[in-house]
């Protein structure tokens, strides 16, 4: 508990997901060393133009903030009005700079979206020296406070956009959902647990054991990682649900053996449930252990910590269950005695053991009469319709597996919020009035010496840079390109004295402004090469079209470079695509691919374990179908309906697999016990349903109730996670209480447990 409560919520840094030798990550790290962070925060508001007096006031307030709070690591602050004055030459006394002054039309044409908006809207660009961290949320709050002071009543119209703001909104929304919805989730789960178990003592017992598992998961994260971020936020919930499932099964066995009225009920329940609980834990741990081979830090951390937490939680559950039942029994007796004495002034009346036995028998008879009717109906129905149910289940599985091939992924910011949210409205406003904020970075690398051994010519480099920029601007998806060429006049073309003089003037201006270009992070000069930077703003850049856009940009830049090199045979140069977006796309695609393949590997590892348990390869393979069905139904349905898959969604598969395997093993344990005792398949199925239907249903209802409040979260990944959990839990019930009994009574049953049958025949059973 000490380590659990020391756990901190962290901010997910995508670069930390990839292995250190990842090529995209290596290129981006080198880029940041040369040019600093490529991430920015845009600050604007409606009617912000060159004549708006609030613009310089806001800039002054933000500059004062950067000076007074160096811990915020604000690297630079630029605004449209200042940039326009500088580029137009109005604030320069330098003769060379006045010669390259640009008109307002040229500025809008060359620097639209970078210096000024499409329709003349002005904005402020803040660049932060660090990648997303805890201080960025503080930056956002301070900027909003400055906006409240400068804009006054119109501060509600303040528009923020950019990657730092998106990280802040995702963190705030996810934490807000947890803070606001945990209490109603717990209350609803407790209420449903009481309705299922009909005892506050049993309800508190189950939640105490499951809560201990959740605390163990939190403690593991705190000890080995230090903070909870990315996919690790699911670990405590995962351990809670798996421990809850096992605890509900043991509690139902406990009730069937006398409950709190018999001191030996806890031990008897443990004897009945220990074997399936241990087997379920081992199979699920094997599945999680398969994730530890991943190269992505969130994946192997998720698998390793989940496996360790589940082992400890299961050990605590099995070791403490009998003692916990006794402790809760004594506590309840003491509470009843004290409560009765306070209400009546008399101690609790003595009741003879014979009276308690009669009352217990009558209570069990009423419960049996109420509970056996649906159980008998379900057993008879699955027996009569075993073949159609099995065929329908296999058909649904086949169709769902085809749907898995149609799944698409999404990691876009606007897909995480409703279209009416402030965050999405701000993003749309910026795209409409300023331009797209999605950017990629191209680097033009030019060695210091050319092929002849002479020093590389600056004008040749600038001409190559200009050719690449012009070719990229001709692409449909490219909104704008920013480079050193954007701040210089067009290069003179052709021969003649006039153009020769102009090239000489431009070469002198360029040489004098190399230091300025370096300060503006448009050029990096090293001992062996010069690296020119081109920042590209891309329209409609999303995860699904990123590969095509990336390939188009690289092909276009490559062709432009080859054309320039053919015209200048002595020149050497190469291009390179980088930027945070390249790292993010690589990390997200690798994460989802790794989780999906790791889940498949987990399924493949659990199948041999199931084969060993049922002592038959074909039997184990057949009996894994009910465990695969809920995941296939939900994710296959998403594929057919075109619903995109995100990281939070795919993690529900791990929870579903654990609960489905747990329920399946409990069912099969009772089934094979009955078969070993000489019962027919129909009788064994009926006994297994009688023993397992209630705990399976109770687990589904309680876990679904715990997830239901999160479905109403405004943060869509949380809402989708809750909905998928509820659907997958319902699918697990269908697989274990309908499909599995039908399969055990269908023609497929002849291949299930054949080795066990041979052993029974040898024993004469």
């Amino acid at each position: 508990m000490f380590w659990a409560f020391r756990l901190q919520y962290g901010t997910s840094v995508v670069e930390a997901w990839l292995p250190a030798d990842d090529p995209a990550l290596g290129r981006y790290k080198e880029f940041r060393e040369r040019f600093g962070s490529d991430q920015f925060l845009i600050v604007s508001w409606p009617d912000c133009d060159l004549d708006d007096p609030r613009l310089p006031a806001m800039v002054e307030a933000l500059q004062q903030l950067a000076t007074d709070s160096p811990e915020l690591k604000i690297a630079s602050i630029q605004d449209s009005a200042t940039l326009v004055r500088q580029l137009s030459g109005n604030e320069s006394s330098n003769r060379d700079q006045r010669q390259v002054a640009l008109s307002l039309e040229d500025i809008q044409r060359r620097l639209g979206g970078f210096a000024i908006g499409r329709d003349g809207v002005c904005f402020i660009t803040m660049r932060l020296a660090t990648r997303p961290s805890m201080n960025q949320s503080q930056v956002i709050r301070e900027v909003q406070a400055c906006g409240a002071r400068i804009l006054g009543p119109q501060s509600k119209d303040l528009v923020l956009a950019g990657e730092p703001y998106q990280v802040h909104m995702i963190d705030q929304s996810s934490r807000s959902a947890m803070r606001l919805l945990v209490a109603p989730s717990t209350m609803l789960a407790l209420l449903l647990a009481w309705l299922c178990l009909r005892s506050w003592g049993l309800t508190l017992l189950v939640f105490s054991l499951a809560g201990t598992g959740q605390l163990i998961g939190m403690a593991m994260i705190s000890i080995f990682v230090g903070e909870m971020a990315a996919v690790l936020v699911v670990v405590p919930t995962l351990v809670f649900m798996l421990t809850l499932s096992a605890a509900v099964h043991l509690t139902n066995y406990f009730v069937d053996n006398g409950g709190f009225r018999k001191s030996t009920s806890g031990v008897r329940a443990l004897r009945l449930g220990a074997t399936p609980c241990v087997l379920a834990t081992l199979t699920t741990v094997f599945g999680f252990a398969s994730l530890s081979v991943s190269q992505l830090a969130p994946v192997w951390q998720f698998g390793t910590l989940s496996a360790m937490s589940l082992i400890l939680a299961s050990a605590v559950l099995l070791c403490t269950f009998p003692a916990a039942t006794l402790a809760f029994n004594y506590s309840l007796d003491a509470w009843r005695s004290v409560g009765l004495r306070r209400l009546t002034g008399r101690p609790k009346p003595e009741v003879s053991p014979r009276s308690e036995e009669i009352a217990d028998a009558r209570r069990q008879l009423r419960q049996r009469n109420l509970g056996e009717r649906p159980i008998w109906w379900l057993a008879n129905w699955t027996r009569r319709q075993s073949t159609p149910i099995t065929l329908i289940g296999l058909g649904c599985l086949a169709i769902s597996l085809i749907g898995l091939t149609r799944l698409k992924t999404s990691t876009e910011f606007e897909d995480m919020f409703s279209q009416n949210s402030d965050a999405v409205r701000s993003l749309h406003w910026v795209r409409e009035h300023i331009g797209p904020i999605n950017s990629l970075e191209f680097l033009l690398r030019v060695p210091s010496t050319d092929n002849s051994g002479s020093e590389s010519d600056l004008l040749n480099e600038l001409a190559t840079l200009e050719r690449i920029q012009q070719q990229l601007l001709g692409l449909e998806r490219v909104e704008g390109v920013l480079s050193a060429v954007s701040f210089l006049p067009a290069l003179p073309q052709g021969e003649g004295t006039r153009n020769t003089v102009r090239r000489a003037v431009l070469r002198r201006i360029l040489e004098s402004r190399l230091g300025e270009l370096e300060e503006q992070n448009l050029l990096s000069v090293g001992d062996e090469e010069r690296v020119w930077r081109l920042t590209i703003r891309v329209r409609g850049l999303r995860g699904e079209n990123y590969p095509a856009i990336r390939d188009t940009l690289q092909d276009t830049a490559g062709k432009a470079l080859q054309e320039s090199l053919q015209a200048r045979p002595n020149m050497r140069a190469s291009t390179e695509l980088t930027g945070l977006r390249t790292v993010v796309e690589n990390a997200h695609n690798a994460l989802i691919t790794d989780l999906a393949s790791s889940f498949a590997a987990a399924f493949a590892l659990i199948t041999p374990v199931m084969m060993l348990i049922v002592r038959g390869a074909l039997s184990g393979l057949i009996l894994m179908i009910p465990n695969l069905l809920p995941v296939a139904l939900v994710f296959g349905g998403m594929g057919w309906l075109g619903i995109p898959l995100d990281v939070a969604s795919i993690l529900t598969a791990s929870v579903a697999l654990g609960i489905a395997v747990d329920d399946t093993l409990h069912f099969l344990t009772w089934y094979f016990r009955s078969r070993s005792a000489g019962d027919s398949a129909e009788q064994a199925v009926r006994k297994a349903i009688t023993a397992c239907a209630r705990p399976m249903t109770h687990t589904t209802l309680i876990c679904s109730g715990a997830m239901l409040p999160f479905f109403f979260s405004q943060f869509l990944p949380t809402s989708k996670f809750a909905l998928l959990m509820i659907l997958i839990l319902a699918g697990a019930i269908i697989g274990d209480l309908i499909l599995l009994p039908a399969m055990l009574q269908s023609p497929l049953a002849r291949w299930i447990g054949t080795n066990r049958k041979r052993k029974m025949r040898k024993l004469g059973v």
Side-chain angles (χ1 to χ4, degrees):
M1 185 176 294
F2 169 76
W3 289 106
F5 286 107
R6 291 192 62 184
L7 181 62
Q8 301 290 326
Y9 284 91
T11 300
S12 179
V13 179
V14 179
E15 295 96 302
W17 296 7
L18 295 171
D21 58 351
D22 181 79
L25 180 59
R27 289 192 295 269
Y28 182 62
K29 285 183 175 179
E30 182 186 356
F31 168 83
R32 291 191 60 197
E33 290 174 359
R34 288 182 176 274
F35 299 103
S37 175
D38 60 336
Q39 298 309 299
F40 53 86
L41 177 66
I42 290 178
V43 183
S44 188
W45 54 88
D47 302 325
C48 180
D49 54 29
L50 293 172
D51 299 323
D52 191 339
R54 296 172 296 181
L55 181 60
M58 188 69 175
V59 172
E60 183 179 356
L62 294 177
Q63 290 174 341
Q64 188 64 41
L65 173 65
T67 303
D68 296 341
S69 304
E71 69 277 4
L72 299 181
K73 300 186 182 302
I74 300 174
S76 65
I77 299 173
Q78 294 180 331
D79 68 283
S80 299
T82 303
L83 280 173
V84 168
R85 287 195 298 269
Q86 290 175 348
L87 294 173
S88 60
N90 294 337
E91 291 187 350
S92 177
S93 58
N94 187 293
R95 177 173 172 271
D96 289 339
Q97 290 190 2
R98 288 199 304 272
Q99 287 181 340
V100 296
L102 304 175
S103 65
L104 182 59
E105 290 74 15
D106 288 337
I107 294 173
Q108 287 183 317
R109 179 174 53 83
R110 293 189 179 196
L111 301 173
F114 292 100
I116 193 168
R118 293 171 176 167
D119 50 4
V121 170
C122 295
F123 56 92
I124 302 169
T125 303
M126 298 177 60
R127 297 190 181 274
L128 306 182
T130 58
R131 278 285 296 119
S133 57
M134 293 303 293
N135 75 320
Q136 289 205 357
S137 292
Q138 185 180 354
V139 170
I140 301 299
R141 289 192 293 269
E142 294 291 346
V143 170
Q144 291 172 336
C146 292
R149 291 196 305 271
I150 302 301
L151 301 181
Q154 294 182 337
S155 61
K156 65 181 185 302
D157 296 328
L158 184 69
V159 175
L160 301 178
E163 200 259 353
Y165 180 64
Q166 293 179 1
V167 172
H168 164 77
M169 289 301 300
I170 292 172
D171 281 351
Q172 291 296 107
S173 300
S174 59
R175 294 178 189 181
S176 176
M178 295 295 294
R179 184 175 62 255
L180 296 176
L181 298 175
V182 164
S185 169
T186 304
M187 294 175 63
L188 183 57
L190 282 170
L191 177 61
L192 288 172
W194 179 82
L195 291 174
C196 292
L197 302 173
R198 293 291 180 178
S199 167
W200 282 116
L202 294 177
T203 299
L204 295 176
L205 172 64
V206 167
F207 269 80
S208 297
L209 295 170
T212 301
Q214 187 174 30
L215 290 175
I216 289 173
M218 295 172 65
M220 290 293 102
I221 298 174
S222 179
I223 292 172
F224 293 102
V225 180
E227 64 180 22
M228 188 158 59
V231 299
L232 295 183
V233 298
V234 182
V235 172
T237 302
L238 170 65
V239 179
F240 173 83
M241 289 193 171
L242 296 181
T243 310
L244 177 71
S245 177
V248 169
H249 278 283
L250 291 177
T251 301
N252 276 272
Y253 301 154
F254 171 74
V255 172
D256 291 340
N257 284 274
F260 288 123
R261 290 172 295 279
K262 294 183 179 180
S263 60
T264 59
S265 299
V267 176
R268 291 179 179 177
L270 187 62
R271 287 176 180 173
L272 290 172
T275 298
C277 285
V278 170
L279 291 176
T281 299
L282 290 178
T283 52
T284 309
V285 165
F286 283 144
F288 288 143
S290 68
L291 304 179
S292 61
V293 300
S294 171
Q295 291 186 336
L296 296 182
V299 177
W300 67 258
Q301 288 173 355
F302 172 75
T304 304
L305 294 176
S306 296
M308 294 170 57
S309 302
L310 185 57
I311 291 173
L312 290 176
S314 300
V316 170
L317 171 66
L318 296 176
C319 292
T320 62
F321 185 80
T325 58
L326 291 175
F328 272 85
N329 189 17
Y330 294 145
S331 300
L332 288 172
D333 282 343
W335 182 83
R336 292 193 191 100
S337 299
V338 172
L340 186 63
R341 187 163 58 248
R342 288 180 177 175
L343 289 173
T344 64
R346 296 190 299 272
K348 178 182 178 181
E350 295 292 334
V351 180
S352 65
R354 179 61 179 167
S355 299
E356 287 190 347
E357 290 179 4
I358 294 173
D360 184 27
R362 289 176 177 172
R363 188 180 301 106
Q364 289 184 356
L365 182 60
R366 287 196 301 270
Q367 293 177 350
R368 189 177 298 113
N369 290 334
L370 290 173
E372 283 190 352
R373 288 183 181 178
I375 289 174
W376 278 73
W377 178 86
L378 181 62
N380 291 330
W381 180 67
T382 54
R383 176 180 58 81
R384 292 193 306 268
Q385 307 295 332
S386 60
T387 301
I389 292 173
T390 302
L391 291 176
I392 292 173
L394 294 177
C396 291
L397 180 62
I399 295 173
S400 300
L401 291 177
I402 296 174
L404 292 178
T405 62
R406 302 167 61 94
L407 272 175
K408 297 180 180 179
T409 61
S410 173
T411 55
E412 297 304 314
F413 175 74
E414 54 262 46
D415 293 339
M416 300 181 184
F417 299 89
S418 68
Q419 295 301 306
N420 296 325
S421 65
D422 293 338
V424 174
R425 283 202 302 266
S426 294
L427 183 60
H428 289 168
W429 188 92
V430 169
R431 287 176 177 171
E432 179 182 355
H433 296 281
I434 297 176
I437 62 173
N438 290 319
S439 62
L440 294 170
E441 302 286 346
F442 254 112
L443 301 182
L444 175 63
R445 296 179 176 274
V446 183
S448 301
T449 57
D450 58 20
N451 290 327
S452 65
S454 304
E455 184 178 353
S456 179
D457 185 13
L458 277 174
L459 285 188
N460 285 340
E461 297 177 22
L462 199 63
T464 303
L465 187 68
E466 184 180 40
R467 178 182 287 271
I468 294 174
Q469 179 166 331
Q470 292 302 322
Q471 293 293 326
L472 291 174
L473 283 171
L475 297 176
E476 180 183 0
R477 288 283 187 176
V478 174
E479 174 76 13
V481 179
L482 179 70
S483 72
V485 174
S486 305
F487 299 90
L488 298 170
L491 290 174
Q493 303 295 328
E495 302 298 331
T497 306
R498 180 180 176 84
N499 287 331
T500 302
V501 173
R502 290 180 61 191
R503 278 194 288 270
V505 172
L506 185 58
R507 181 179 286 106
R508 187 183 72 249
I509 294 173
L510 187 58
E511 291 174 349
S512 66
R513 296 186 61 181
L514 286 180
E516 181 182 339
L517 293 175
E518 284 193 84
E519 291 178 0
Q520 294 175 345
N521 292 323
L522 297 172
L523 170 67
S524 174
V525 179
D527 295 335
E528 298 181 355
E529 65 177 357
R530 276 192 291 264
V531 181
W532 300 85
R533 174 184 179 183
L534 298 96
T535 301
I536 308 165
R537 294 284 170 83
V538 185
R539 303 186 190 100
L541 181 62
R542 296 179 60 88
E544 59 266 24
N545 61 21
Y546 167 77
I549 293 176
R550 175 200 60 201
D551 294 342
T552 300
L553 292 175
Q554 289 179 324
D555 291 344
T556 302
K559 290 178 181 178
L561 176 62
Q562 291 303 317
E563 292 172 359
S564 180
L565 293 181
Q566 288 176 2
R568 301 167 181 82
N570 289 332
M571 184 177 174
R572 295 186 298 161
S574 62
T575 58
E576 181 179 285
L577 181 66
T578 184
L580 179 63
R581 185 68 188 229
T582 63
V583 178
V584 170
E585 291 297 334
N586 276 16
H588 281 152
N589 291 335
L591 180 61
I592 292 177
T593 302
D594 232 22
L595 285 173
S597 59
S598 297
F599 175 79
F603 189 85
L605 284 176
I606 291 175
T607 301
V609 177
M610 186 70 75
M611 293 176 179
L612 292 175
I613 292 171
V614 300
R615 302 176 189 177
L618 186 57
S619 301
L621 192 61
I622 293 173
L623 292 176
M624 283 301 291
I625 292 175
N627 298 317
L628 180 60
L629 182 65
V631 178
L633 281 176
V634 173
F635 289 100
M638 292 176 64
W640 283 112
L641 295 174
I643 300 173
L645 182 70
D646 56 23
V647 175
S649 301
I650 201 170
L651 291 176
T652 58
S654 300
V655 184
L657 183 62
I659 292 178
V661 167
D662 187 24
D663 289 344
T664 300
L665 288 173
H666 278 276
F667 193 98
L668 291 177
T669 299
W670 283 96
Y671 174 80
F672 285 122
R673 280 175 182 169
S674 298
R675 295 287 282 156
S676 300
D679 291 336
S680 64
E682 293 79 6
Q683 292 171 328
V685 166
R686 184 177 293 112
K687 289 184 178 180
I689 292 177
T690 302
C692 299
R694 278 188 303 164
M696 289 181 185
T697 307
H698 292 173
T699 300
T700 299
L701 289 175
I702 296 169
C703 293
S704 298
M707 288 288 103
L708 185 59
F710 291 98
F711 172 69
F712 299 98
S713 170
Q714 298 299 313
F715 187 51
L716 296 186
T718 300
S719 177
K720 185 185 291 186
F721 178 84
L723 177 61
L724 292 181
M725 278 299 307
I726 294 172
L727 293 176
I728 288 179
L729 289 170
I733 282 288
I734 294 173
D736 287 324
L737 286 184
I738 296 179
L739 181 59
L740 180 58
M743 291 171 60
L744 292 172
Q745 299 173 92
S746 72
L748 283 177
R750 71 183 64 179
W751 290 290
I752 297 177
T754 52
N755 291 337
R756 286 178 175 268
K757 294 174 185 175
R758 295 192 191 101
K759 183 178 180 181
M760 289 162 58
R761 283 196 293 268
K762 289 180 181 179
L763 295 175
V765 179

